[in-house]
Amino acid sequence: MNQRIKQLRKTLGLSGEKFGERLGVQRAAISNIENGNRNITDQMFKFICREFNVNPQWLKYGEGEMFNKDEKSILDSLVDQHHLKGIDIKLLESFIKLDPDKRKVITDYLSDTFKD
C-alpha cells in the first residue's frame, strides 16, 4: 500500500508537502508512509480515498482502477442530499475543479468573513 500511495501522489502531480497538506499532515509523515517506515492508519486510508476519489480496492490491494470511475456520482449524491439547484451546483463544481491553492484562498476568505 505504501508504494501505491507514492504512485498516487506522483499521478496527481503533488509534492510530498502538497499531498500532506491536503491530508492535514506534514511532508515527513508522507515520506515515512511511502518509504514503509510507518503504516497507514484506517483514518488516513479513508481520508485519502475520500480526498482524492481513490478506489479503496486499488489502494488496499492494488486491484481495479486507481480512481473511482464516476466522480459525477459523488456530486449527484451531494446534490440530492442537500437539495442543491442551479448556481449551487455550478459553484460546487467550479470549486472542486480549482487548484488546491486557489481553494485555500477562497476558504480563508470565507472563514474570515463568517467569524463569530
Side-chain angles (χ1 to χ4, degrees), residues 1-113:
M1 189 165 23
N2 302 37
Q3 288 304 308
R4 285 188 292 281
I5 290 173
K6 186 174 189 175
Q7 182 183 355
L8 170 66
R9 179 180 61 77
K10 289 185 175 204
T11 298
L12 293 169
L14 296 173
S15 66
E17 183 177 357
K18 292 289 183 189
F19 189 79
E21 282 177 13
R22 298 263 307 261
L23 299 170
V25 298
Q26 304 249 338
R27 182 197 59 77
I30 299 303
S31 179
N32 282 329
I33 290 170
E34 289 180 353
N35 292 321
N37 299 329
R38 187 174 181 195
N39 289 327
I40 185 170
T41 64
D42 288 340
Q43 182 178 2
M44 179 67 75
F45 175 86
K46 290 175 186 174
F47 196 55
I48 288 171
C49 292
R50 186 174 52 241
E51 179 68 16
F52 300 109
N53 193 35
V54 172
N55 173 357
Q57 288 296 111
W58 176 83
L59 186 56
K60 192 168 230 173
Y61 306 110
E63 298 172 355
E65 298 294 321
M66 182 182 291
F67 298 103
N68 289 319
K69 291 183 180 179
D70 191 6
E71 264 185 61
K72 191 70 172 168
S73 66
I74 295 169
L75 181 58
D76 290 340
S77 295
L78 288 171
V79 168
D80 291 343
Q81 183 178 1
H82 298 283
H83 310 289
L84 301 176
K85 304 258 187 249
I87 191 68
D88 298 329
I89 298 168
K90 286 182 181 181
L91 284 169
L92 188 55
E93 287 175 328
S94 297
F95 182 77
I96 290 168
K97 291 177 184 175
L98 287 175
D99 175 86
D101 293 332
K102 290 179 181 176
R103 285 198 308 254
K104 184 170 178 4
V105 169
I106 293 170
T107 57
D108 288 348
Y109 171 77
L110 292 172
S111 293
D112 288 344
T113 301

